[in-house]
């Protein structure tokens, strides 16, 4: 039973990498540096979905992989090379497997009892999604401001997910500042897409629900009990 979701997950991840890699090699008329960032982002998102499906048995892992495969097929179609047909040959059975009944018994159908709210999940998801989303927005031309935004957003989201106090404040203050600079440097329709995303992350980070990070901080353990020293004078000989 375990081998089936692993096989499906690896097949979907392979299609994702092949498709995005095909686009990164020949992204014309788009910027190649941005296409490489998109490739890195697709790999991160695909790995996140693979881990979510195989290890966490989470529905979001299934749908994340499905979205990654579909996106990679679209990207691979842009160059119009043989890479698209390879992606299609791998991606089609992966899509069928992800949508079919083969994962019904594997994927959890009830949310975890201690699952965080949607706002918390969205803010934690910023870390793996940031490279892909910023790369797609910057296909008209990648600028240093875009790289800065990726680093700030990813680190802030990671720190937030770990329950580090500075994480939420970096999402509230660092992301809008870096996002404004990156949005101003973006060319074409990606400017609107990136600007809306930055505003959405900023607003979400100021919501009351955002204060409930999911990291479980383990309380300090008590000091070990010290035993009284053994009285050697009364020990039996």
């Amino acid at each position: 039973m375990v081998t089936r979701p692993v096989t499906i997950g690896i097949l979907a991840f392979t299609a994702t990498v092949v498709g995005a890699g095909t686009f990164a090699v020949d992204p014309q008329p788009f910027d190649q540096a941005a296409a490489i960032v998109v490739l890195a982002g697709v790999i991160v998102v695909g790995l996140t979905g693979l881990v979510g499906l195989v290890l966490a048995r989470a529905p979001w892992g299934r749908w994340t992989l499905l979205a990654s495969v579909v996106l990679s097929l679209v990207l691979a179609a842009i160059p119009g090379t043989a890479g698209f047909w390879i992606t299609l040959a791998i991606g089609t059975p992966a899509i069928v497997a992800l949508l079919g009944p083969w994962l019904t018994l594997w994927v959890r159908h009830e949310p975890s009892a201690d699952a965080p709210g949607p706002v918390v999940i969205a803010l934690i998801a910023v870390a793996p999604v940031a490279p892909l989303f910023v790369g797609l927005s910057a296909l008209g031309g990648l600028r240093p401001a875009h790289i800065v935004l990726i680093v700030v957003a990813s680190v802030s989201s990671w720190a937030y997910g770990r329950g580090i106090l500075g994480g939420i404040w970096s999402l509230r203050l660092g992301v809008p500042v870096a996002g404004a600079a990156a949005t101003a440097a973006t060319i074409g329709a990606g400017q609107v897409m990136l600007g809306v995303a930055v505003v959405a992350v900023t607003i979400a980070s100021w919501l009351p629900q955002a204060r409930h990070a999911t990291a479980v901080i383990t309380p300090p353990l008590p000091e070990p009990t010290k035993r009284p020293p053994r009285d050697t004078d009364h020990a039996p000989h």
Side-chain angles (χ1 to χ4, degrees):
M1 178 63 183
V2 178
T3 57
R4 184 177 298 171
V6 171
T7 302
I8 294 173
I10 292 177
L11 188 67
F13 179 70
T14 302
T16 296
V17 174
V18 172
T22 299
F23 173 68
V25 170
D26 184 18
Q28 298 299 328
F30 299 107
D31 182 67
Q32 188 161 36
I36 293 174
V37 173
V38 169
L39 171 60
V42 166
I43 291 174
V44 172
V45 171
L47 277 176
T48 303
L50 180 60
V51 171
L53 174 65
V54 174
L55 298 184
R57 302 172 64 176
W60 59 261
R62 182 186 199 176
W63 306 126
T64 299
L65 277 174
L66 178 63
S68 300
V69 175
V70 173
L71 175 62
S72 294
L73 281 170
V74 174
L75 292 174
I78 293 175
T81 60
F84 168 74
W85 299 106
I86 298 174
T87 306
L88 185 64
I90 304 173
T92 300
I95 291 174
V96 172
L98 288 168
L99 290 176
W102 299 276
L103 296 175
T104 302
L105 297 178
W106 177 259
V107 175
R108 289 186 287 103
H109 297 282
E110 296 294 334
S112 177
D114 56 350
V119 173
V120 173
I121 293 176
L123 292 176
I124 293 176
V126 168
V129 172
L132 175 58
F133 192 88
V134 176
L136 289 173
S137 301
L139 284 176
L142 187 71
R143 302 290 182 266
H146 295 120
I147 303 300
V148 171
L149 176 59
I150 291 173
V151 173
V152 171
S154 299
V155 172
S156 302
S157 175
W158 173 84
Y160 171 77
R162 295 298 301 165
I164 300 173
L165 179 61
I168 190 170
W169 286 106
S170 186
L171 286 171
R172 290 173 172 177
L173 303 176
V175 168
V177 172
T183 302
T186 305
I187 301 173
Q191 187 175 52
V192 176
M193 184 170 69
L194 188 59
V196 170
V198 170
V199 170
V201 171
T202 303
I203 292 175
S205 66
W206 282 98
L207 294 176
Q209 297 90 335
R211 290 196 296 268
H212 306 295
T214 60
V216 177
I217 308 301
T218 304
L221 297 176
E223 291 289 335
T225 304
K226 294 183 179 180
R227 295 183 178 181
R230 184 176 180 182
D231 189 354
T232 57
D233 294 338
H234 297 85
H237 296 284

